[in-house]
Amino acid sequence: MCQPDDIYWCDGSEEQKDNLTSVALKSGDLIALNQEKLPGCYLHRSALNDVARTENLTYVCTEQREDAGPNNNWMAPAESYDKLAKIFSGAMRGRTLYVIPFLMGPASSSFSKVGIQITDSVYVVLNMRLMTRMGQIALDHLGDSDDFTRCLHSKADLDIERRFICHYPQDNTIWSVGSGYGGNALLAKKCLALRIASKLGQKEGWLAEHMLVVGVENPEGEVHYICGAFPSACGKTNLAMLVPPPSMKGWKIHTIGDDIAWLRVGPDGRLWAINPEAGFFGVAPGTGSKTNPNAMTTVQHDTIFTNVALRPDGTVWWEGHDDPAPSSAEDWRGKPWTPNSGHPAAHPNSRFTASIKQCPTYSSEWDKPQGVPISAILFGARRNKLVPLVYQSFNWQHGTFLGATLASETTAAATGAVGVVRRDPMAMLPFCGYNMGDYWAHWLSMAQRARHSPKIFRVNWFQRNEQGKFTWPGFGENLRVLRWVVERCKGGGEAEETPEPCATCDNCRRSAQLEASIPAPAEVAPPPPAPQPAPLFVVGSRVRVPRHEEGEVIAIAGDMVTITFGDGNENKTFLASYVQPSETAANLNGGPS
Ligand code: O2Y
Ligand code: MN
């Protein structure tokens, strides 16, 4: 179909990297940087119309539209294969077709998945070599099985009118055409490790999440692992590589991953996580020694920079870099630039690609087949007001609700209005490969699988005061919040249980008024149908509700449940999702991690 001139099998070796780098330098796909100052580093400039993931051109192709859900663009598989095959047809004439076998996750881990990507982009090959475990390791994992994700990619003519990123969950297949950039072209990342993997997770009983994974070590040497789901532009990479503040001597951070976590229930009933990736594809602007010194160290060698500015001495620069703006440079498009040019030198979505092993906080647990046990899950987003610095959910179901209602305010980095609240359930809106309602039901069902589920917290580093100033210092100081989270996981940590908002008290009325004063979101997907959990109790069941004694169900009406407590003198009505059967209540409230 693609009709390439040549076929090249990638083995991930140093030798091939050197050869392919020479090919890329010759073709102009890479520009050599100053090899004394930045050894092994190169610059790539993408096409001007191809600088970010394109959600509007991304599809989940299932037989039934409902299976893709209101959260995805949908096309029927037959229509989509047909449309894309026409674009792929002859697209690699005069080009080399690269075959990339890659493994997502540690060798000999039952967590790990194999993919094989076909591409006509040497830049994609070199990035995938940093972002995945490439070559024989993947073929060894596969053996004679055909259980791998089929990834077909071509830049074709980079025409945005002929650009499609299509996922076929029932065929374990991804076809992407017309883009050579990041999430559209490195198919291991968002396409496989999130969209396809989330559907596999639903089928196989695990979770593929848009989460960082970090180990927090206290001065006694005890390490707790925490996952954090945050929408893009909320500092996941910074949190994953955090530097402890001066007030927390003896504390250490261990980086497992900055973007994606695969979570499974271990034999001990806890959730265990791996990072399926092997590298970072981090945003350059805003990265500096004050915000993320570990990222700055990571990118001093063997790094591919994409769409950053080039200084006359062959080094790179971006807005937020440690060095002041250069008096002259080439901007991300290769055009002459000065501080008076009136536009940024680096593209706001410019990137660095580097191996996780180059990060000073790299955790040797990253490569452990069983992954790491997760004590806590954070859901975080950017909210000016209303959402406090940190609070804990009562149980897994309540935590799922906190994740499902996650919303973030847009920043100047994104197109469109600034400060608009966008709903982004579990930070997965662009990445959930199936119906969001089914995904929430799957999250709820994990409580039945995990006897000792992690505690779930909502965090917000971004509250501002009346003067518009951040009320929390953020960055390294966020470790103070992680310390409290770990204390809570160990059964300590000071906390006050507060009720859910009511309709009558002054505090809750004020919150409701504030919520109403926030401008209506510009682009909000219609809410998916509410998931229908299997009934956990019937009239007559003994049940528990957070902060109440055990009681007995005396009536069920829709999703409201009336319970009688004590001698039958006190009857109260609750939302069914707050009510747990008494025999599993302890488990659902989370056991020790
Ligand atoms: O624009 C792109 O293609 C990159 S998107 C990306 C890259 C690394 C980590 N996260 C993201 C994201 O959009 O969440
Ligand atoms: Mn991401």
Side-chain angles (χ1 to χ4, degrees):
M1 179 168 70
C2 298
Q3 302 165 35
D5 280 14
D6 221 344
I7 293 179
Y8 186 105
W9 286 83
C10 302
D11 64 11
S13 65
E14 279 286 318
E15 196 188 341
Q16 276 200 356
K17 181 198 77 177
D18 293 342
N19 290 339
L20 293 172
T21 301
S22 304
V23 169
L25 287 169
K26 232 185 242 159
S27 64
D29 282 297
L30 290 183
I31 296 166
L33 294 170
N34 183 325
Q35 294 299 301
E36 268 166 34
K37 294 185 176 169
L38 293 170
C41 294
Y42 299 89
L43 169 65
H44 171 76
R45 289 184 181 135
S46 73
L48 303 188
N49 71 354
D50 190 25
V51 291
R53 283 188 297 109
T54 44
E55 281 168 34
N56 54 324
L57 308 176
T58 300
Y59 292 79
V60 169
C61 305
T62 47
E63 290 298 342
Q64 305 301 321
R65 180 191 281 263
E66 205 189 330
D67 291 338
N71 45 305
N72 283 301
N73 297 315
W74 175 84
M75 236 191 291
E79 180 198 345
S80 155
Y81 278 132
D82 189 53
K83 195 189 271 272
L84 271 67
K86 291 193 176 101
I87 307 172
F88 274 115
S89 181
M92 297 189 188
R93 252 180 245 141
R95 299 181 185 174
T96 298
L97 178 158
Y98 298 95
V99 183
I100 310 172
F102 62 93
L103 181 65
M104 301 304 285
S108 65
S109 167
S110 54
F111 276 88
S112 299
K113 298 281 180 194
V114 174
I116 299 188
Q117 177 163 349
I118 283 169
T119 180
D120 55 6
S121 163
V122 68
Y123 165 78
V124 164
V125 178
L126 291 166
N127 273 269
M128 289 278 286
R129 187 178 168 276
L130 295 172
M131 296 297 297
T132 70
R133 295 151 168 101
M134 184 192 285
Q136 195 58 41
I137 187 172
L139 298 173
D140 288 346
H141 193 92
L142 188 60
D144 55 12
S145 159
D146 69 351
D147 182 14
F148 65 93
T149 307
R150 291 124 177 92
C151 308
L152 175 61
H153 168 251
S154 171
K155 292 180 289 178
D157 52 11
L158 295 176
D159 180 351
I160 200 157
E161 297 298 327
R162 286 152 40 88
R163 181 176 299 165
F164 293 93
I165 298 90
C166 290
H167 305 73
Y168 307 90
Q170 68 275 40
D171 301 333
N172 201 358
T173 292
I174 302 158
W175 280 18
S176 164
V177 69
S179 165
Y181 198 89
N184 286 348
L186 311 175
L187 301 188
K189 194 171 177 61
K190 303 298 186 178
C191 297
L192 191 163
L194 287 177
R195 296 195 194 96
I196 291 288
S198 60
K199 183 66 193 174
L200 288 174
Q202 185 210 25
K203 260 201 308 207
E204 298 169 2
W206 52 281
L207 294 168
E209 297 300 326
H210 191 203
M211 290 179 178
L212 66 93
V213 188
V214 72
V216 178
E217 182 177 338
N218 66 20
E220 291 73 50
E222 198 178 64
V223 185
H224 281 261
Y225 292 93
I226 296 176
C227 284
F230 296 75
S232 308
C234 290
K236 272 209 316 290
T237 305
N238 295 349
L239 186 62
M241 315 177 176
L242 169 158
V243 175
S247 62
M248 291 183 69
K249 292 244 157 17
W251 287 76
K252 288 190 193 127
I253 283 293
H254 303 278
T255 307
I256 301 281
D258 78 327
D259 197 39
I260 298 176
W262 287 356
L263 297 132
R264 280 178 199 266
V265 181
D268 58 359
R270 292 190 287 179
L271 273 190
W272 290 68
I274 61 156
N275 168 15
E277 302 192 281
F280 308 117
F281 189 63
V283 178
T287 304
S289 293
K290 289 219 177 79
T291 59
N292 193 338
N294 287 319
M296 289 304 276
T297 306
T298 303
V299 301
Q300 292 312 304
H301 64 97
D302 298 298
T303 299
I304 299 171
F305 294 95
T306 302
N307 290 348
V308 299
L310 177 62
R311 292 189 280 201
D313 68 347
T315 60
V316 287
W317 189 84
W318 50 80
E319 283 67 24
H321 192 282
D322 293 347
D323 299 340
S327 55
S328 73
E330 286 178 20
D331 72 10
W332 66 275
R333 298 166 303 178
K335 294 263 181 342
W337 182 93
T338 73
N340 299 324
S341 290
H343 61 84
H347 189 279
N349 194 36
S350 55
R351 299 272 165 174
F352 56 82
T353 319
S355 161
I356 188 170
K357 291 191 176 165
Q358 292 178 194
C359 182
T361 51
Y362 161 75
S363 166
S364 55
E365 300 297 300
W366 166 78
D367 214 16
K368 290 278 159 66
Q370 74 276 17
V372 292
I374 299 303
S375 300
I377 292 176
L378 313 181
F379 286 114
R382 196 178 277 273
R383 295 301 295 265
N384 273 318
K385 32 186 187 246
L386 294 180
V387 180
L389 179 64
V390 58
Y391 62 98
Q392 183 179 356
S393 68
F394 293 120
N395 54 36
W396 180 266
Q397 287 77 8
H398 183 210
T400 301
F401 173 79
L402 297 186
T405 52
L406 199 64
S408 202
E409 278 141 19
T410 52
T411 66
T415 49
V418 173
V420 171
V421 177
R422 284 232 167 92
R423 303 288 152 192
D424 190 353
M426 278 83 172
M428 280 288 277
L429 189 60
F431 307 122
C432 177
Y434 62 108
N435 190 310
M436 187 62 79
D438 296 336
Y439 168 75
W440 290 338
H442 180 47
W443 257 80
L444 290 171
S445 79
M446 291 302 287
Q448 269 84 54
R449 292 190 179 89
R451 274 176 289 118
H452 304 296
S453 49
K455 310 258 188 235
I456 301 181
F457 300 80
R458 176 76 171 86
V459 298
N460 178 23
W461 319 135
F462 301 98
Q463 258 198 89
R464 292 178 194 254
N465 61 18
E466 263 76 61
Q467 287 74 47
K469 292 237 158 66
F470 286 117
T471 57
W472 177 249
F475 301 105
E477 301 292 342
N478 292 340
L479 186 55
R480 284 155 52 193
V481 174
L482 301 191
R483 175 173 59 188
W484 181 77
V485 162
V486 169
E487 281 168 11
R488 292 296 297 160
C489 293
K490 290 165 68 177
E494 258 185 73
E496 193 186 328
E497 286 198 4
T498 52
E500 302 81 45
C502 62
T504 48
C505 88
D506 278 355
N507 269 341
C508 296
R509 260 210 311 273
R510 253 199 311 276
S511 292
Q513 278 160 5
L514 269 174
E515 185 90 74
S517 72
I518 293 172
E523 297 167 35
V524 178
Q532 298 295 315
L536 290 169
F537 41 76
V538 292
V539 171
S541 304
R542 300 294 298 168
V543 291
R544 294 206 46 185
V545 180
R547 303 187 312 281
H548 289 80
E549 305 276 329
E550 196 174 295
E552 186 177 312
V553 176
I554 55 169
I556 303 175
D559 54 359
M560 303 307 288
V561 181
T562 304
I563 298 167
T564 183
F565 295 96
D567 298 333
N569 292 335
E570 198 192 8
N571 296 341
K572 279 190 169 174
T573 301
F574 299 88
L575 259 179
S577 57
Y578 279 94
V579 181
Q580 306 301 333
S582 62
E583 66 273 18
T584 54
N587 160 34
L588 292 170
N589 283 318
S593 322

